[in-house]
Amino acid sequence: MVRNIMYSLDERIEEMDVNYKKVLGNLAANLAATTLKVRSRYFHRIGAAGKGSLVFYKTIPGFPNHKIFSPGRCYPIIIRHSNCLSSDDDARRDPRGAAIRILSEGKSPLLDLTLKTGKAFHARTIGDFATWLVCSAAAREEHVKHAPHVRDAMWGSLRQPDSYAELHYYSNFSRLFRFENGQEMYVRFKLRPFNKNIAEDSGKVEPMGILPPDTGSIPRDEKDTRPLLFLAEDFQCRVNSPDKVRYVLQLQIRPVPEDASITEIALDCTKPWDETEFPYMEVGEIIIDEMLTKEESDGLEFNPFFRCHEVDVIRATSYNQSASLDHGRSVVYEICQHLRNSKPLPETWRIFLDRTDVKLDFSGCPMAAKLEKKELGKVTLARTWIDIEDGGFVGSRAVAMPGVTVESGGKLNALSLAMKGEIVG
């Protein structure tokens, strides 16, 4: 076999096995198709962003010497708060996000961290995540009967807040810290309000069923008369106030296990780490003192693969490994960002997408793929549910998965799922 040297390879894709590439490719292609249709982010579409600084405390007890997370260091940062699915109303019950970019002294990206409300995520692997997207509500409810922590993760992520600045945000996914003494440890991040009186369950939504509605975002209360984008307005007012917006950055660290099975447990993002065994360490403060314009905010491209040697992404080779979701999503992020901003797709990504079960129209545009021009209505929160026509997936949320078989014209549900390799886990 002769490798094609006319394009640069993506190391993240090259180290994946065949099934991992298949699952990730179909997921990326489906989200790319939706990105082309709405010309916007699929998740976390609206929000507010600002910039400021991250200042590490002069002393951090119990924390080994680290080149980046070093006592007394100060970095410029950018933060973007957002709603996960709600693209038209801040009063909806919805997970909220806090994406942080740490910049070097020369203002180049050093590290991106993506955090959200809730101490856990609902899918352990990229296979679980892709399966969840195509499962019916009945299949999901059946699944959480045997995995109640997944139900807790779904409801625990929802918030109905008065302010982005009064929430606690968690990374859920783990990173690899490399210390100056050669030691390696796993780390999870947390952002809490500077005011210690703001509890972790601030804005919490009480469960009203087995799982939240399929949209993941329950409509606002009928008596709620606040403006549609009141969270963005509140954030701007706070940034422009004398007190600014302030957070405390916290870390949990734990040794890298030698046993592979224990590693899978440690990296499982559906389960938070025991805070008694791995307590949070407060390492620094974030101060946001300047707003970004809507155009600047919309143009931000956060990516988990913006990392450095000292704070690295943990790799996976299979779609059923705990690290596969964080590893794989960085590829999806970049592909969708290129399409959203009409940037040229590298040839290696074009080939990657061409080999999936989802066919994208890349004709008619030298910069990036564009679908046939159609009259677009108002972009809303709605995500079309999945119908099956002639055995193929249609609808904005369809994810073609290897080994999924359905009857022509039928609904995809638990009985019609035939997953090879136990993707559901």
Side-chain angles (χ1 to χ4, degrees), residues 43-339:
F43 298 111
H44 298 280
R45 192 171 294 163
I46 65 170
K51 57 185 178 180
S53 58
L54 164 61
V55 181
F56 287 99
Y57 296 132
K58 293 183 178 179
T59 58
I60 308 176
F63 192 68
N65 292 334
H66 192 270
K67 182 178 178 180
I68 306 300
F69 284 62
S70 180
R73 292 290 297 271
C74 179
Y75 296 97
I77 73 156
I78 295 172
I79 188 169
R80 181 179 185 266
H81 286 301
S82 57
N83 309 326
C84 180
L85 289 175
S86 178
S87 59
D88 55 3
D89 187 355
D90 283 347
R92 295 181 186 272
R93 301 168 178 89
D94 198 22
R96 315 294 167 168
I100 302 171
R101 171 162 294 171
I102 301 176
L103 304 167
S104 67
E105 295 177 356
K107 300 297 182 68
S108 60
L110 183 64
L111 177 67
D112 274 5
L113 301 174
T114 53
L115 297 84
K116 70 167 188 64
T117 50
K119 295 184 177 182
F121 194 63
H122 66 275
R124 182 180 67 87
T125 71
I126 197 81
D128 293 344
F129 180 71
T131 302
W132 186 270
L133 285 180
V134 300
C135 279
S136 66
R140 293 177 182 180
E141 291 183 0
E142 183 65 25
H143 173 63
V144 300
K145 289 180 182 179
H146 307 285
H149 66 287
V150 173
R151 175 184 182 272
D152 294 341
M154 292 291 292
W155 280 110
S157 297
L158 296 187
R159 291 293 184 272
Q160 191 177 27
D162 295 320
S163 172
Y164 284 132
E166 294 184 353
L167 295 173
H168 293 244
Y169 300 91
Y170 305 81
S171 65
N172 295 165
F173 303 107
S174 305
R175 287 284 189 270
L176 179 65
F177 258 15
R178 295 187 175 100
F179 294 95
E180 292 184 352
N181 61 4
Q183 184 181 11
E184 294 186 349
M185 301 187 78
Y186 290 153
V187 60
R188 288 187 180 180
F189 302 90
K190 180 188 173 186
L191 201 64
R192 74 160 177 84
F194 184 77
N195 184 350
K196 291 184 177 180
N197 294 324
I198 298 176
E200 288 186 328
D201 60 358
S202 173
K204 183 179 178 180
V205 174
E206 294 298 330
M208 295 176 288
I210 298 177
L211 285 171
D214 181 59
T215 61
S217 203
I218 309 163
R220 69 159 61 199
D221 295 335
E222 294 182 359
K223 296 180 181 180
D224 194 334
T225 60
R226 292 174 295 182
L228 291 176
L229 303 182
F230 72 91
L231 288 177
E233 295 172 5
D234 171 82
F235 187 72
Q236 180 173 2
C237 289
R238 288 172 182 261
V239 170
N240 294 330
S241 72
D243 293 333
K244 307 303 178 184
V245 173
R246 301 176 68 186
Y247 304 97
V248 172
L249 181 63
Q250 298 178 304
L251 307 177
Q252 283 178 297
I253 57 175
R254 63 185 296 173
V256 176
E258 296 182 2
D259 185 271
S261 61
I262 299 178
T263 296
E264 285 298 297
I265 295 173
L267 299 180
D268 185 351
C269 60
T270 66
K271 298 177 181 178
W273 290 350
D274 187 325
E275 294 180 27
T276 302
E277 187 176 2
F278 310 109
Y280 281 105
M281 307 170 62
E282 300 196 340
V283 297
E285 294 181 13
I286 289 176
I287 301 175
I288 306 301
D289 54 14
E290 185 177 348
M291 285 293 297
L292 297 185
T293 65
K294 182 181 183 302
E295 292 71 26
E296 290 172 329
S297 176
D298 290 344
L300 292 172
E301 297 181 350
F302 292 96
N303 190 327
F305 215 65
F306 272 150
R307 89 286 187 229
C308 52
H309 175 76
E310 293 78 15
V311 189
D312 207 351
V313 174
I314 301 168
R315 310 299 183 90
T317 57
S318 169
Y319 67 76
N320 58 13
Q321 291 176 326
S322 293
S324 63
L325 188 51
D326 193 33
H327 177 196
R329 69 178 177 139
S330 65
V331 177
V332 180
Y333 272 43
E334 286 199 68
I335 290 174
C336 291
Q337 286 165 356
H338 273 65
L339 297 178

